[in-house]
């Protein structure tokens, strides 16, 4: 077994060796980051300023926009700085902070997506009970539970990951500190505890995803019995974007953390990481506003 070394810093993935390509990557990441800031910022402003959007669905959407901003702000600025200054280094404490905040925001976001599925289920399948089941106090408790569960997961995963001895150097094959890549640096057999925690989280995620799917099966059964085309349109315009966001988020995160060791492809790892860490924060505002007339009206009013 290699000697256990004391790591003071990690080396993140270098996108390119030439200065021109480094600046190109910086420009691409900057464009994605600004798009995420603009899109989520507009949603936050529209929901906060338009009293017509002061409903449970848009309250949860506001929380989702906050989480998306946190997700992309945790990983992208450091990657941009490394490309701009031609470096790969991130401190041990900085890496631990990245892991903590990424797990915190991702865990909170998934919990919130479950809550949003429940909101749509009650709104469409039990409309007469909507006011009692999803009042202001209930919504606040659900949002607090989502953020709290993310914090708990972040503490558990960060403590478990960074308590491992490292024997395989300090080069992380990703543009941010990702748990599966850090586990590759640990001593053989030392990552069993974190691996068990990941498996437990995966099982819990699968159960919750099944809950979301069952909720939408019930929703679509009710929607298809609606006599009004307008009712169909309104239901699908709020449900289909949410289902698309959940599917992309869960599939990419699960693949990144549960990919068999035999599938070794740095390029594939990079693509998957971009899909779950950059795509949702940048695309969620577009996905949720594209088929949502109320939100489009609020954004149009905001622009004028």
């Amino acid at each position: 077994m290699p000697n256990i070394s004391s790591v003071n810093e990690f080396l993140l993935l270098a996108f390119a060796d030439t200065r021109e390509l480094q600046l190109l990557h910086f420009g691409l990441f900057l464009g994605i980051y600004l798009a995420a800031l603009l899109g989520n910022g507009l949603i936050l402003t529209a929901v906060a300023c338009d009293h017509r959007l002061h409903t449970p669905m848009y309250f949860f959407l506001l929380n989702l926009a906050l989480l998306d901003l946190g997700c992309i702000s945790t990983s992208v600025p450091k990657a941009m700085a490394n490309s701009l200054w031609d470096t790969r280094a991130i401190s041990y404490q900085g890496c631990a902070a990245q892991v903590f905040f990424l797990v915190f925001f991702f865990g909170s976001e998934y919990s919130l997506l479950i809550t949003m599925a429940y909101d749509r289920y009650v709104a469409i399948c039990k409309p007469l009970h909507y006011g009692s089941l999803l009042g202001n106090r209930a919504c606040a408790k659900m949002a607090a539970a989502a953020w709290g569960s993310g914090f708990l997961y972040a503490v558990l995963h960060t403590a478990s990951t960074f308590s491992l001895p490292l024997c395989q150097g300090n080069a992380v094959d990703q543009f941010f500190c990702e748990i599966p890549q850090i586990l590759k640096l640990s001593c053989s057999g030392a990552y069993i505890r974190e691996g068990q925690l990941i498996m437990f989280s995966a099982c819990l995620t699968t159960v919750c995803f099944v809950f979301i799917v069952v909720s939408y099966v019930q929703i679509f059964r009710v929607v298809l019995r609606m006599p009004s085309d307008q009712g169909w349109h309104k239901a699908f315009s709020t449900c289909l974007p949410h289902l698309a966001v959940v599917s992309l988020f869960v599939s990419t995160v699960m693949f990144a953390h549960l990919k068999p060791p035999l599938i070794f492809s740095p390029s594939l790892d990079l693509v998957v990481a971009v899909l779950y860490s950059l795509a949702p924060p940048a695309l969620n505002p577009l996905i949720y506003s594209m088929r949502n007339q109320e939100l489009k009206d609020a954004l149009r009013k905001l622009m004028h």
Side-chain angles (χ1 to χ4, degrees), residues 160-268:
S160 178
T161 300
F162 286 90
S163 65
L164 300 175
L166 304 179
C167 303
Q168 310 296 332
N170 66 339
V172 179
D173 291 331
Q174 195 54 270
F175 67 92
F176 60 90
C177 286
E178 185 185 47
I179 289 179
Q181 302 300 331
I182 296 173
L183 292 182
K184 291 180 181 179
L185 306 179
S186 63
C187 302
S188 177
Y191 53 82
I192 293 176
R193 185 175 66 244
E194 173 60 17
Q196 290 173 338
L197 187 56
I198 289 177
M199 288 301 298
F200 171 75
S201 299
C203 292
L204 188 60
T205 299
T206 303
V207 170
C208 293
F209 184 68
V210 170
F211 167 78
I212 292 174
V213 171
V214 171
S215 298
Y216 276 102
V217 169
Q218 297 298 320
I219 288 171
F220 293 144
R221 286 178 61 186
V222 171
V223 168
L224 292 175
R225 291 200 297 264
M226 288 181 178
S228 168
D229 289 342
Q230 186 177 0
W232 282 30
H233 175 76
K234 185 172 183 180
F236 281 121
S237 67
T238 56
C239 294
L240 289 180
H242 181 260
L243 196 56
V245 168
V246 172
S247 300
L248 174 65
F249 184 77
V250 172
S251 60
T252 50
V253 170
M254 292 280 278
F255 183 83
H257 288 78
L258 299 178
K259 179 172 63 67
L262 294 176
I263 304 177
F264 177 73
S265 173
S267 299
L268 180 61

Side-chain angles (χ1 to χ4, degrees), residues 66-301:
L66 285 172
L67 289 169
D68 280 337
L69 287 175
C71 287
I72 200 165
S73 296
T74 300
S75 58
V76 171
K78 179 60 178 175
M80 289 193 301
N82 282 1
S83 293
L84 186 62
W85 302 114
D86 190 21
T87 181
R88 297 173 55 194
I90 182 172
S91 68
Y92 186 92
Q93 293 80 7
C95 189
Q98 268 199 347
V99 168
F100 175 83
F101 284 110
L102 283 172
V103 176
F104 170 51
F105 290 125
F106 285 144
S108 300
E109 180 159 334
Y110 187 58
S111 299
L112 189 68
L113 290 172
I114 298 168
T115 304
M116 292 172 75
Y118 175 71
D119 167 70
R120 291 299 83 208
Y121 168 77
V122 175
I124 294 173
C125 299
K126 300 179 181 294
L128 297 180
H129 301 284
Y130 189 74
S132 58
L133 293 175
L134 285 159
N136 291 338
R137 182 172 295 181
C139 290
K141 288 181 178 179
M142 290 178 186
W147 287 80
S149 62
F151 179 81
L152 178 61
Y153 269 117
V155 170
L156 291 175
H157 281 288
T158 306
S160 178
T161 300
F162 286 90
S163 65
L164 300 175
L166 304 179
C167 303
Q168 310 296 332
N170 66 339
V172 179
D173 291 331
Q174 195 54 270
F175 67 92
F176 60 90
C177 286
E178 185 185 47
I179 289 179
Q181 302 300 331
I182 296 173
L183 292 182
K184 291 180 181 179
L185 306 179
S186 63
C187 302
S188 177
Y191 53 82
I192 293 176
R193 185 175 66 244
E194 173 60 17
Q196 290 173 338
L197 187 56
I198 289 177
M199 288 301 298
F200 171 75
S201 299
C203 292
L204 188 60
T205 299
T206 303
V207 170
C208 293
F209 184 68
V210 170
F211 167 78
I212 292 174
V213 171
V214 171
S215 298
Y216 276 102
V217 169
Q218 297 298 320
I219 288 171
F220 293 144
R221 286 178 61 186
V222 171
V223 168
L224 292 175
R225 291 200 297 264
M226 288 181 178
S228 168
D229 289 342
Q230 186 177 0
W232 282 30
H233 175 76
K234 185 172 183 180
F236 281 121
S237 67
T238 56
C239 294
L240 289 180
H242 181 260
L243 196 56
V245 168
V246 172
S247 300
L248 174 65
F249 184 77
V250 172
S251 60
T252 50
V253 170
M254 292 280 278
F255 183 83
H257 288 78
L258 299 178
K259 179 172 63 67
L262 294 176
I263 304 177
F264 177 73
S265 173
S267 299
L268 180 61
D269 290 344
L270 180 61
V271 170
V272 171
V274 168
L275 284 177
Y276 81 75
S277 65
L278 301 188
L283 295 179
N284 279 356
L286 181 63
I287 292 172
Y288 277 105
S289 62
M290 190 165 48
R291 293 175 59 86
N292 190 313
Q293 191 59 46
E294 290 178 335
L295 191 55
K296 283 196 287 188
D297 291 342
L299 289 172
R300 197 176 295 116
K301 181 180 177 182

